[in-house]
């Protein structure tokens, strides 16, 4: 059976929950579509997050990769179109702040997702899950992980479907974190990700 590396993130920036953590834990070792899921939880850390991702790519040798991140405030599931070679913005969970910093010197400005993002949006919408392509993954850890992922695959000449999908907050996160933002049920978030995996 083919292997799909599914990554999620720990909570960050004072939020009590990251719904991507629950999804990757729930789906660990499950068979979905043509894939067996190999889940990894990444730290929100500019050094350790990308390092762990690279070692998982080398150990697991996946046939496809989907990285998940929370985009608190977004209303829809948003497959990302592009990752850029830039880190900037909020501190990571280790207190490290990046300002206008390239992820890797002398590497390309950006990489496009190799997931079928247009089809993913269509399938989600047809099944009642609001979705849109996003044209920016930001400049924080999610963009960093997407960039590292695509840069690594490119360097190793691996042509597999790989990319990043941002998801909205869960109801639980809004309630526990006392936040005022759009949210989905954790069940719908997970089912939408399962549907994506079935279709790539
Ligand atoms: N979302 C953050 C980092 C971790 C996560 O789940 C982001 O969008 O960069």
């Amino acid at each position: 059976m083919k292997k799909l590396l599914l990554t999620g993130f720990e909570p960050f920036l004072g939020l009590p929950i990251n719904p991507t953590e629950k999804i990757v834990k729930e789906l660990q070792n499950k068979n979905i579509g043509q894939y067996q899921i190999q889940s990894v939880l990444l730290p929100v850390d500019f050094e350790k997050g990308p390092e762990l991702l690279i070692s998982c790519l080398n150990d697991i040798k996946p046939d496809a990769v989907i990285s998940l991140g929370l985009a608190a405030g977004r209303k829809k599931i948003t497959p990302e179109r592009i990752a850029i070679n830039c880190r900037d913005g909020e501190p990571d969970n280790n207190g490290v702040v990046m300002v206008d910093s390239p992820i890797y010197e002398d590497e390309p400005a950006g990489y496009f997702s190799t997931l079928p993002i247009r089809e993913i949006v269509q399938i989600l919408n047809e099944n009642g899950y609001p979705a849109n392509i996003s044209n920016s993954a930001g400049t924080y850890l999610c963009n960093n992980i997407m960039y590292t992922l695509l840069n690594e695959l490119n360097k190793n000449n691996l042509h597999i479907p790989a990319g990043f999908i941002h998801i909205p907050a869960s109801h639980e996160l809004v309630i526990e974190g006392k936040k005022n933002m759009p949210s989905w049920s954790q069940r719908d978030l997970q089912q939408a990700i399962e549907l994506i995996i079935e279709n790539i």
Side-chain angles (χ1 to χ4, degrees):
M1 195 158 205
K2 289 187 180 178
K3 285 178 284 186
L4 183 141
L5 173 60
L6 182 68
T7 76
F9 277 111
E10 64 184 11
F12 62 103
L13 290 176
L15 297 170
I17 289 170
N18 191 328
T20 67
E21 175 171 4
K22 302 205 168 180
I23 294 174
V24 300
K25 287 189 174 156
E26 283 291 320
L27 297 186
Q28 169 67 317
N29 284 325
K30 294 244 162 74
N31 294 334
I32 303 176
Q34 51 176 332
Y35 296 106
Q36 193 208 28
I37 309 301
Q38 306 272 302
S39 292
V40 176
L41 186 69
L42 299 173
V44 177
D45 181 312
F46 284 114
E47 200 183 313
K48 296 199 187 97
E51 249 174 40
L52 179 57
L53 174 72
I54 292 171
S55 74
C56 291
L57 287 171
N58 292 331
D59 294 348
I60 297 170
K61 300 189 174 39
D63 301 287
V65 186
I66 296 181
S67 289
L68 301 175
L70 164 68
R74 283 195 193 168
K75 298 190 178 87
K76 299 184 180 186
I77 297 215
T78 47
E80 296 293 344
R81 192 190 300 274
I82 188 165
I84 60 173
N85 191 3
C86 177
R87 297 175 294 187
D88 189 80
E90 301 292 335
D92 70 9
N93 282 356
N94 200 24
V96 172
V97 180
M98 295 291 179
V99 181
D100 303 335
S101 155
I103 298 171
Y104 306 110
E105 301 279 353
D106 305 321
E107 295 288 355
Y111 286 104
F112 288 115
S113 176
T114 57
L115 293 175
I117 55 173
R118 182 69 58 192
E119 289 78 3
I120 288 172
V121 165
Q122 193 183 335
I123 285 159
L124 289 172
N125 286 335
E126 280 169 6
N127 284 274
Y129 299 108
N132 261 150
I133 291 174
S134 160
N135 292 312
S136 174
T139 50
Y140 190 50
L141 252 299
C142 291
N143 173 71
N144 192 153
I145 286 300
M146 182 177 174
Y147 187 92
T148 297
L149 167 63
L150 295 168
N151 187 55
E152 209 52 32
L153 296 175
N154 185 55
K155 281 200 307 198
N156 295 313
N157 223 356
L158 291 168
H159 303 282
I160 62 170
F164 198 95
I165 298 174
H166 264 122
I167 68 170
S170 58
H171 297 329
E172 222 181 335
L173 164 55
V174 166
I175 293 166
E176 280 191 34
K178 299 187 174 60
K179 296 288 172 192
N180 190 10
M181 58 175 68
S183 59
W184 287 33
S185 71
Q186 184 69 35
R187 198 200 57 186
D188 279 357
L189 289 171
Q190 184 176 319
Q191 285 181 351
I193 299 307
E194 291 179 47
L195 188 62
I196 293 169
I197 296 170
E198 272 165 33
N199 283 283
I200 58 163

